[in-house]
Amino acid sequence: MIAADIFRGRYRESLSTPKAITSDKPLTYRFALPAANHVFLPGHRIMVQVQSSWFPLYDRNPQTFVPNIFWAKPGDYQKATQRIYHTPGEASSIELPVVTEK
């Protein structure tokens, strides 16, 4: 693993104002991973994992919008589905910085 971080979708628009996620609709998420310099050689591939919970490494995600996930009740926990979109104009993508040699 080169870089990993947790970014809660509820904070995708503002870290100070959590907002519920609209299901079945592509949404923009912009965040920075911890700094890591790595050289990808020709032929190398990258793998990206998008998960709605990293349990048991991190707390459980109830998959519903609750004021505080640490106070979520058993009924707040629901199944979640992650989607990758590939329709024109709504295709999922990841932008990574590229550093060139000087």
Side-chain angles (χ1 to χ4, degrees):
M1 185 181 311
I2 296 168
D5 205 358
I6 294 170
F7 181 80
R8 296 198 185 279
R10 64 182 18 224
Y11 298 113
R12 73 194 175 284
E13 293 180 12
S14 166
L15 293 175
S16 60
T17 309
K19 189 174 181 181
I21 294 172
T22 305
S23 64
D24 297 325
K25 179 183 176 198
L27 299 171
T28 299
Y29 291 78
R30 293 191 184 275
F31 60 96
L33 288 171
N37 291 327
H38 185 77
V39 176
F40 290 100
L41 299 174
H44 280 191
R45 299 180 192 186
I46 64 170
M47 176 176 61
V48 176
Q49 294 183 1
V50 177
Q51 303 170 31
S52 58
S53 183
W54 209 0
F55 184 79
L57 299 175
Y58 204 71
D59 56 40
R60 292 176 62 204
N61 184 341
Q63 313 301 338
T64 57
F65 188 77
V66 293
N68 186 321
I69 66 162
F70 299 107
W71 299 332
K73 296 175 177 50
D76 295 327
Y77 290 87
Q78 296 180 5
K79 176 183 170 184
T81 300
Q82 309 308 315
R83 289 188 174 84
I84 303 297
Y85 289 87
H86 51 85
T87 57
E90 294 183 327
S92 298
S93 65
I94 297 172
E95 295 179 16
L96 298 171
V98 175
V99 179
T100 58
E101 290 185 43
K102 291 185 179 184

